[in-house]
Amino acid sequence: MTNDENVKNINETNEDVNQETSADAVDAKETESTDMPNLDPHESADVLKLNNWLEELADKSSVKSQVFCYKTVLINEGQPTMWGMRLHFPGTFEASEIETNALDENANINFKKLMQGALKANVILAPKITDLEKFANEHEGFGEAARAVMNFLNQGIDGKLR
């Protein structure tokens, strides 16, 4: 037997040893799959399986608490009038409430109300703004700042802050 034939025989043997049986493959697929199982919602055993699957998904999908997330944003970046804000996520429900309270009667965001809510909830840690109207009138980019706060809150609500 030549060396090439020995290598071929060894590789064929390793492939056989490492192959999963079809039953093993099915079990692995069922435990690792994120596809919703095809179950009958009227069968109590299937409902239990579905509930267990949903619990496992919830456990696997958790992320670190967004409340511990901070972000620094620059307004008018690269311009002589550049300034920045240090933002802190207040929590999903608080962020949602800030946004909801900032809606006007036509469901448009009112930047003044949004920024007032963000200041009240300590979303904007720095700079320390004691008079929002004065600050907005003395700094360029109030709209950009409000959009940055809104984007930050939405990222936190969606669990996307890192």
Side-chain angles (χ1 to χ4, degrees):
M1 195 178 276
T2 67
N3 281 341
D4 288 337
E5 290 173 317
N6 281 334
V7 170
K8 184 177 177 186
N9 287 337
I10 290 170
N11 286 339
E12 287 173 358
T13 304
N14 286 341
E15 286 175 13
D16 291 342
V17 170
N18 292 326
Q19 284 184 343
E20 291 183 56
T21 65
S22 60
D24 292 338
V26 170
D27 288 342
K29 185 177 180 186
E30 286 179 13
T31 58
E32 294 179 14
S33 175
T34 56
D35 295 335
M36 187 168 157
N38 188 12
L39 303 170
D40 182 353
H42 303 291
E43 292 292 327
S44 60
D46 282 356
V47 170
L48 183 59
K49 287 179 188 176
L50 179 61
N51 289 346
N52 288 338
W53 178 75
L54 291 170
E55 291 294 332
E56 288 174 16
L57 277 182
D59 290 343
K60 290 179 188 177
S61 68
S62 66
V63 296
K64 83 171 190 173
S65 174
Q66 300 295 284
V67 175
F68 300 112
C69 293
Y70 298 84
K71 184 175 185 178
T72 299
V73 296
L74 298 177
I75 309 302
N76 297 333
E77 188 170 3
Q79 304 298 316
T81 57
M82 181 173 77
W83 58 281
M85 294 182 294
R86 180 79 172 140
L87 305 176
H88 168 256
F89 189 69
T92 302
F93 292 156
E94 183 71 24
S96 180
E97 190 171 317
I98 292 167
E99 290 183 6
T100 299
N101 291 341
L103 294 174
D104 66 14
E105 63 278 351
N106 297 318
N108 296 313
I109 292 291
N110 178 310
F111 285 170
K112 176 184 173 186
K113 289 180 181 179
L114 176 76
M115 297 298 274
Q116 286 174 330
L119 286 169
K120 183 178 178 184
N122 293 316
V123 172
I124 303 171
L125 299 175
K128 192 69 176 164
I129 301 172
T130 55
D131 185 336
L132 181 61
E133 184 175 359
K134 182 176 188 262
F135 189 87
N137 287 324
E138 294 176 353
H139 294 82
E140 283 186 17
F142 181 72
E144 182 182 347
R147 284 186 294 276
V149 168
M150 182 73 155
N151 289 338
F152 176 74
L153 293 174
N154 284 331
Q155 287 175 337
I157 290 169
D158 290 340
K160 304 286 185 191
L161 295 174
R162 302 286 182 257

